Amino acid sequence: METIINADHFIELEHRHGAHDYHPLPVVLERGEGVYLWDVEGKKYFDFLSAYSAVNQGHCHPRIVNALQKQAQVLTLTSRAFHNNKLGKYMEYVTKYFDFERLLPSNTGAEAVEASIKITRKWGYTVKNIPSNKAEIIVCSQNFHGRTSTIISFSSDSESKVNFGPHASGFITIPYNDLEALEAILETHPNIAGFLVEPIQGEAGVYTPDENFIRKARSLCSEYNVLLIADEIQTGIGRTGSLLAVCGNCSCAGDCERQENSYTRPDILILGKAISGGTYPVSAVLCDSSIMDVIQPGQHGSTFGGNPMACSIAMEALEVIRDEKLTQNARHLGELFRTAMQEYIETSTIVLKVRGKGLLNAIVINDTETSNTAWNICIQLKENGLLAKPTHGNIIRFAPPLVISEDQLYECVEIITKTLKAFEK
Ligand SMILES: *Cc1c(COP(=O)(O)O)cnc(C)c1O
């Protein structure tokens, strides 16, 4: 006799056998296509998280899946002890795509952030001549750069760090979007090697800084001979309506002479998530030779970094971004989304504001940080066929795959506003 396996069964299995490291929405997914997901009971949803912006190209994109299948049949992993026939091509492709001279391959976002910290420190000692072990990196409060023990050392989220010490030193925290604080530290601290920053703080609740923040931070970093390190793991690759969030108002998706537009060039660019379309763990650090060449054989490495699967999948995933004009779509639909939400907010008591760029947006719920309202709204959104999750307390992020169409977007606005109306006071 066939047993009926429902969602509770799978949730219970995870709960019984897994680490309790996440608090997921109670939905068990088994299939995805484009902007849609289906759960084990066959219910269909719009995905408004996109695996934290990893699935920008949509679920199971046929071209990316094909690249995976083709590569899986011939070669999956060699390690870097030997060369493979995909890594060089990939490095050439990605460095051209983003206009940097060199690429360091890795797998997860946190791993790429770690590598960028090592590169920055070593550059500080060997190029800037900072005294041994004195290098410092400036970071922003409310940052999210990953979960390793070094990275959580400079998190301002106590849940992420309490009881995980001793924490790593060498990091100085300033408020986000505060150029005066940045300059004050640069003026008084001669041993600063880098400034690590998210051009928009995604996890913190989609905090979009002032228009000129990154550009001015760039000139301060240049003035004080400090590396500007942009963590675009969440904001990069079309998500915010430009190829990178540091491209500002340019929506050419990388085909222009970026320096002539609003592009702010970081010294180090960190990518992850959507570089593979969520099909495989791929991340990368990009910078020019004058910085990357501080790393010599034996000083860094990763068994899986730069494997032929990752290279083939990521090249196809980046081709899809360009061919399908997903950056331009994100820009256009993002504007429509915020306009529609803004219209709703005019008469709403439950939503305070909508903010964001491109298709990385969030609404702020009119309740305390510790209330369950945002969570309860997300549960109801799920019932109504749309999956989203609170970021911090009372903030809900809305980040659909960039392949979403205008009709689908308006259908989602309907679901969201209908759901919110039930929570109006
Ligand atoms: C997701 C994310 C990371 C960490 O990436 P993992 O792949 O989860 O290690 C780092 N920085 C930012 C901005 C992110 O959004």
Side-chain angles (χ1 to χ4, degrees):
M1 206 180 89
E2 204 179 312
T3 43
I4 295 164
I5 298 177
N6 65 9
D8 290 344
H9 171 72
F10 295 105
I11 293 172
E12 167 61 18
L13 276 179
E14 279 186 33
H15 191 76
R16 192 159 0 121
H17 301 289
H20 294 175
D21 54 349
Y22 273 83
H23 182 40
L25 277 198
V27 60
V28 181
L29 302 164
E30 73 172 10
R31 189 160 71 86
E33 193 186 310
V35 295
Y36 298 113
L37 288 165
W38 286 265
D39 71 13
V40 286
E41 278 135 27
K43 186 174 161 73
K44 181 179 174 183
Y45 305 90
F46 283 104
D47 180 4
F48 259 53
L49 182 67
S50 307
Y52 300 96
S53 297
V55 193
N56 287 2
Q57 297 86 336
H59 290 279
C60 295
H61 193 292
R63 281 179 58 182
I64 306 175
V65 170
N66 183 49
L68 178 150
Q69 285 174 332
K70 266 176 66 187
Q71 187 59 47
Q73 283 165 350
V74 290
L75 187 65
T76 59
L77 182 63
T78 58
S79 87
R80 298 287 304 282
F82 313 117
H83 296 278
N84 71 63
N85 67 343
K86 289 286 148 42
L87 180 58
K89 274 189 186 170
Y90 167 72
M91 287 168 156
E92 180 186 33
Y93 180 85
V94 179
T95 51
K96 280 199 176 137
Y97 200 102
F98 293 100
D99 188 30
F100 285 91
E101 289 170 7
R102 295 193 186 277
L103 176 149
L104 180 85
S106 48
N107 311 286
T108 67
E111 200 186 342
V113 173
E114 286 279 346
S116 75
I117 291 169
K118 287 173 67 179
I119 293 166
T120 300
R121 285 175 171 171
K122 189 154 187 216
W123 175 88
Y125 299 123
T126 60
V127 178
K128 190 173 172 173
N129 291 320
I130 294 173
S132 186
N133 288 322
K134 296 286 185 211
E136 293 175 299
I137 294 174
I138 302 174
V139 297
C140 294
S141 59
Q142 314 305 322
N143 69 68
F144 183 82
H145 297 290
R147 298 294 200 165
T148 65
S149 51
T150 295
I151 293 171
I152 58 149
S153 297
F154 55 84
S155 170
S156 46
D157 172 34
S158 61
E159 280 224 279
S160 306
K161 60 191 296 192
V162 169
N163 285 333
F164 297 121
H167 299 304
S169 56
F171 300 96
I172 298 175
T173 304
I174 60 167
Y176 191 58
N177 194 24
D178 189 339
L179 291 161
E180 278 178 27
L182 178 62
E183 183 153 31
I185 297 293
L186 290 169
E187 262 179 353
T188 49
H189 293 63
N191 297 331
I192 306 289
F195 175 42
L196 171 61
V197 63
E198 300 157 85
I200 292 173
Q201 288 189 325
E203 290 312 295
V206 190
Y207 280 104
T208 315
D210 294 342
E211 186 77 30
N212 61 7
F213 173 62
I214 287 292
R215 194 167 334 129
K216 293 216 167 131
R218 165 72 280 172
S219 37
L220 284 172
C221 286
S222 300
E223 190 182 330
Y224 288 91
N225 193 24
V226 158
L227 301 182
L228 177 66
I229 310 149
D231 179 347
E232 293 241 26
I233 293 168
Q234 184 161 158
T235 53
I237 317 192
R239 173 54 59 186
T240 65
S242 45
L243 179 62
L244 300 168
V246 292
C247 292
N249 290 324
C250 179
S251 68
C252 73
D255 291 330
C256 70
E257 292 297 318
R258 268 176 273 156
Q259 284 80 345
E260 287 171 25
N261 289 284
S262 51
Y263 178 56
T264 299
R265 192 175 199 266
D267 297 298
I268 299 180
L269 173 67
I270 311 171
L271 298 174
K273 295 195 168 117
I275 194 170
S276 72
T279 310
Y280 205 75
V282 184
S283 62
V285 178
L286 286 149
C287 59
D288 287 342
S289 316
S290 60
I291 298 165
M292 192 69 93
D293 290 354
V294 302
I295 299 292
Q296 292 298 308
Q299 297 172 358
H300 193 71
S302 157
T303 302
F304 280 84
N307 71 76
M309 291 284 282
C311 296
S312 300
I313 292 166
M315 279 190 279
E316 195 66 20
L318 289 169
E319 270 310 269
V320 166
I321 292 281
R322 244 182 210 161
D323 290 350
E324 298 187 10
K325 300 203 179 321
L326 297 184
T327 297
Q328 291 85 340
N329 196 49
R331 169 165 301 213
H332 177 56
L333 295 196
E335 274 158 19
L336 299 184
F337 180 76
R338 284 184 302 279
T339 304
M341 288 308 299
Q342 192 55 49
E343 204 170 297
Y344 173 74
I345 291 169
E346 304 294 329
T347 59
S348 171
T349 55
I350 192 71
V351 186
L352 293 174
K353 68 157 117 178
V354 60
R355 65 173 171 237
K357 236 182 144 200
L359 283 174
L360 182 61
N361 295 292
I363 56 170
V364 182
I365 301 300
N366 185 14
D367 210 329
T368 58
E369 281 257 346
T370 51
S371 76
N372 288 327
T373 310
W375 174 268
N376 293 337
I377 290 170
C378 288
I379 295 286
Q380 206 48 53
L381 283 170
K382 170 182 96 76
E383 295 306 315
N384 295 338
L386 187 145
L387 297 176
K389 242 200 124 185
T391 55
H392 262 73
N394 58 353
I395 300 165
I396 302 173
R397 170 176 33 202
F398 290 129
L402 310 184
V403 295
I404 192 168
S405 72
E406 193 169 321
D407 286 349
Q408 288 168 333
L409 185 88
Y410 279 121
E411 201 182 321
C412 292
V413 167
E414 275 289 311
I415 295 174
I416 293 167
T417 53
K418 184 185 106 191
T419 306
L420 288 168
K421 270 180 194 147
F423 285 82
E424 295 289 351
K425 287 163 189 161

